[in-house]
Amino acid sequence: MSHNAGPAAAEPMRILAFGDSLTAGLGLAEAETLTTQLSEALTKMGRPASVINGGVSGDTTAGGVARIDWALADQPQVMILALGANDMLRGLDPANTRANLQAIIAKAQAAGIEIVLAGMLAPPNLGSEYKTAFDALYPALAQAHDFLFLPFLLQDVAQDSGLNQADGMHPNGKGVAVMVQHLLPLVTEAMDRVARRSAT
């Protein structure tokens, strides 16, 4: 038995990864998925967490709004909000994407959940006007709510063939490991915020 297994050992914190195929782990073995790799990385750091896979492949922010109540039934304490890529791929109005994300955020905040916002960037081929509007919506939300914020979920992964599956859009296990490294400091800070809140 480890030394911290006594009564003082806290319950593993519940972290909901709420997103699309990037969260769901499309095309990956279970061991390679974002939720599994994140959970293992946190355990290695001595921060046991139950990471809930709230990813639905192909989901849009509107889909997220439709299922957020159901997802929150698991009573997560931290939520990684990573939706919007499919809105962008479909060329949906960024104002609607932002409104949907705001609706999801409002539900999570009402439940007292600490949010880590993972942003997306639009590719240049959607046009500069669309790219400007879409790319701005995540920083604006992060600033409005003072969220822990990863501006681009696929930072250092996008466009790297060695880190993506054959479709060039979905990361492979190695790519997911890079995503986890970028998310870790934000997720651990969110966990600390939850712990500080419950201690007061």
Side-chain angles (χ1 to χ4, degrees):
M1 293 255 319
S2 62
H3 292 300
N4 59 0
E11 284 280 299
M13 204 166 279
R14 289 181 305 284
I15 300 169
L16 171 66
F18 194 67
D20 47 38
S21 56
L22 298 174
T23 321
L26 185 72
L28 297 173
E30 181 64 37
E32 297 175 313
T33 62
L34 179 67
T35 45
T36 301
Q37 291 202 46
L38 181 60
S39 174
E40 286 174 354
L42 288 166
T43 301
K44 277 193 189 123
M45 295 172 75
R47 291 171 169 267
S50 163
V51 185
I52 303 156
N53 190 335
V56 172
S57 294
D59 208 13
T60 59
T61 55
V65 172
R67 64 188 177 90
I68 184 63
D69 290 333
W70 178 80
L72 295 183
D74 285 324
Q75 299 185 311
Q77 293 148 293
V78 174
M79 176 167 82
I80 301 166
L81 179 53
L83 276 171
N86 290 308
D87 298 47
M88 174 257 293
L89 292 173
R90 295 177 188 190
L92 301 179
D93 183 349
N96 288 347
T97 298
R98 178 172 176 168
N100 290 334
L101 288 169
Q102 182 58 58
I104 293 166
I105 287 163
K107 288 269 173 83
Q109 288 183 323
I113 296 166
E114 196 65 50
I115 296 173
V116 174
L117 182 63
M120 262 297 137
L121 297 172
N125 65 350
L126 290 173
S128 61
E129 195 179 324
Y130 187 89
K131 180 168 172 59
T132 301
F134 184 86
D135 290 0
L137 77 89
Y138 293 96
L141 279 171
Q143 195 171 11
H145 297 280
D146 194 23
F147 284 148
L148 294 160
F149 179 46
L150 178 62
F152 185 37
L153 181 60
L154 294 174
Q155 182 190 330
D156 302 330
V157 177
Q159 257 95 64
D160 184 331
S161 58
L163 297 177
N164 283 280
Q165 297 176 47
D167 65 4
M169 287 174 66
H170 292 94
N172 59 24
K174 287 192 191 115
V176 172
V178 175
M179 292 161 67
V180 167
Q181 288 310 308
H182 290 315
L183 281 167
L184 266 178
L186 300 169
V187 171
T188 52
E189 171 58 27
M191 293 168 78
D192 289 344
R193 288 184 182 185
V194 171
R196 284 200 294 270
R197 269 214 313 268
S198 54
T200 49

